[in-house]
Amino acid sequence: MSPRTDLVTALLGIWFGAGLMIDAWAHSNLAELETFFTPWHAVFYSGFAVVSGWIIWQVWRNVRAGRQGLAAVPTGYLGGLMAIPAFAAFGLADMMWHTILGIETSIDIFFSPSHLGLVVTMMLIITTPLRSAWNAPHVDARPRLGRLLPALLGLAFATTLVSLFLSYGDALHYRPQAIVQAFSMAQDSGAAPQGSGPRPVAVGADRVAVAMVVTNVIMLSPVLLLLRRWLLPFGSVTLMYAVMVLMPGAQTAFRNLPILLSFVVAGFVSDLLIRRLRPSGERRAAYWAFAGLSASATWSLYIGVASATGGGLPTVPELWTGAPVVAGLIGLALGALFLPNAVTAQRGRGDRT
């Protein structure tokens, strides 16, 4: 597909993803919902309709041009095409589920079978531009930001879906004061997260520490995936992190804005690291170094911003000094898992299939 076609697919996917964010905001911040038919569901499902219609239209154009069977499906678009009827079926099942059993209002929303079906098929649809660019022969190993933009948007919005369904372990939900207080005590306070909404102020260090591990993996993994295929142009990680923080921002009504902004800054720092280290599948040492340093810098900023806006440094130094080190080691481990062996240029082309 042409870059312009992929960009339209990505932009329509934003409509789709934004609809889910609005729905997540409603479930987290409004009073108990009693019906499936809501304005935010209208935005969500209309987004599905327009992006699905666009994908089907691309296939139909090829059919009219004389292509038959799978040859009519643009490269990278097959997964999204197959997910369209599956998403519609899960949407119908979700409506029936809510009609019979009611609307979920707490952590059970993330374990509903119909919701899990919707999120998996939605991921296949909105990552269509990523698969298209990944397999495009004219996208070289050092693409410009504009050429890679559809893929970045698709993968970033897909990551927000993962963060949504793991939001009970999302470190971006905590406010600065809660982070400082948590790292000022070594014992768990016993306070439990309240569904997908804002975290309580009294929360134990163990909960924040576990959430940092989960979020570290969720945020860094997509970047490491892309770095196996391309040397990312400057601004790529900043853009992706700016999109990724929108989901926890919507769920908390952006009441934890300093923490969200710390991740956008962390994306900028990661872009600087990419420019300096030039990590790639062929440069394993640089790839590993980036994974560890990016993770450590991200969570140093997280704790630093929390301290600056939440009342000062935590009183347990082992916690706030060691947490970025743990994050860096986890990042290094992720780097080794994503790239255990250096990928030669010839194997790198093979990875595109």
Side-chain angles (χ1 to χ4, degrees):
M1 299 303 296
S2 68
R4 182 174 298 179
T5 301
D6 282 345
L7 181 59
V8 173
T9 306
L11 293 176
L12 294 178
I14 291 177
W15 181 347
F16 196 13
L20 183 60
M21 290 180 186
I22 296 172
D23 187 51
W25 165 83
H27 279 281
S28 301
N29 295 281
L30 298 184
E32 184 175 348
L33 304 177
E34 298 179 353
T35 177
F36 176 85
F37 299 98
T38 62
W40 30 92
H41 271 185
V43 177
F44 177 49
Y45 283 102
S46 63
F48 162 68
V50 294
V51 71
S52 298
W54 175 254
I55 292 174
I56 293 171
W57 171 247
Q58 304 312 309
V59 178
W60 177 243
R61 288 176 58 190
N62 287 339
V63 170
R64 292 178 62 187
R67 297 189 179 184
Q68 302 293 324
L70 293 179
V73 182
T75 302
Y77 278 63
L78 180 59
L81 181 66
M82 295 177 63
I84 290 171
F87 183 93
F90 282 116
L92 178 60
D94 190 46
M95 181 180 68
M96 296 176 62
W97 182 283
H98 291 320
T99 300
I100 298 172
L101 300 178
I103 307 295
E104 299 92 347
T105 58
S106 61
I107 195 172
D108 55 351
I109 196 172
F110 305 122
F111 293 88
S112 165
S114 60
H115 288 171
L116 294 173
L118 286 171
V119 73
V120 170
T121 50
M122 183 179 179
M123 288 183 67
L124 287 173
I125 293 171
I126 64 176
T127 53
T128 295
L130 171 65
R131 293 189 299 274
S132 178
W134 193 283
N135 290 280
H138 55 277
V139 181
D140 58 29
R142 294 170 176 252
R144 294 183 177 181
L145 182 61
R147 179 60 188 91
L148 210 57
L149 181 60
L152 296 174
L153 290 173
L155 183 56
F157 271 92
T159 306
T160 67
L161 303 184
V162 178
S163 69
L164 171 63
F165 275 76
L166 293 177
S167 59
Y168 43 84
D170 191 342
L172 298 187
H173 283 237
Y174 294 107
R175 299 185 192 181
Q177 296 85 351
I179 297 167
V180 171
Q181 182 174 349
F183 278 6
S184 295
M185 54 185 177
Q187 297 292 328
D188 183 7
S189 68
Q194 299 172 350
S196 60
R199 295 293 191 249
V201 173
V203 63
D206 55 349
R207 294 186 185 277
V208 177
V210 170
M212 289 174 64
V213 172
V214 173
T215 309
N216 191 19
V217 174
I218 293 173
M219 301 286 280
L220 185 59
S221 294
V223 178
L224 295 179
L225 172 66
L226 292 178
L227 283 173
R228 278 187 55 94
R229 174 67 171 84
W230 297 293
L231 178 60
L232 295 179
F234 190 82
S236 297
V237 186
T238 305
L239 173 66
M240 291 182 67
Y241 278 13
V243 172
M244 291 177 191
V245 302
L246 293 178
M247 185 64 79
Q251 291 177 275
T252 58
F254 291 94
R255 286 184 284 262
N256 54 340
L257 187 60
I259 297 301
L260 303 178
L261 291 178
S262 76
F263 266 78
V264 180
V265 176
F268 179 76
V269 172
S270 295
D271 281 320
L272 292 176
L273 287 171
I274 290 174
R275 172 169 286 188
R276 179 66 180 86
L277 298 173
R278 294 181 293 112
S280 68
E282 299 175 49
R283 292 168 50 83
R284 184 178 63 171
Y287 186 95
W288 288 7
F290 167 80
L293 291 174
S294 174
S296 181
T298 296
W299 295 99
S300 295
L301 283 166
Y302 176 86
I303 295 175
V305 170
S307 300
T309 59
L313 283 172
T315 58
V316 182
E318 293 84 356
L319 293 175
W320 63 266
T321 59
V325 177
V326 172
L329 292 173
I330 292 173
L332 181 60
L334 283 175
L337 287 172
F338 272 84
L339 190 69
N341 302 295
V343 178
T344 65
Q346 185 174 2
R347 282 188 60 194
R349 288 191 293 269
D351 284 348
R352 301 177 191 179
T353 58

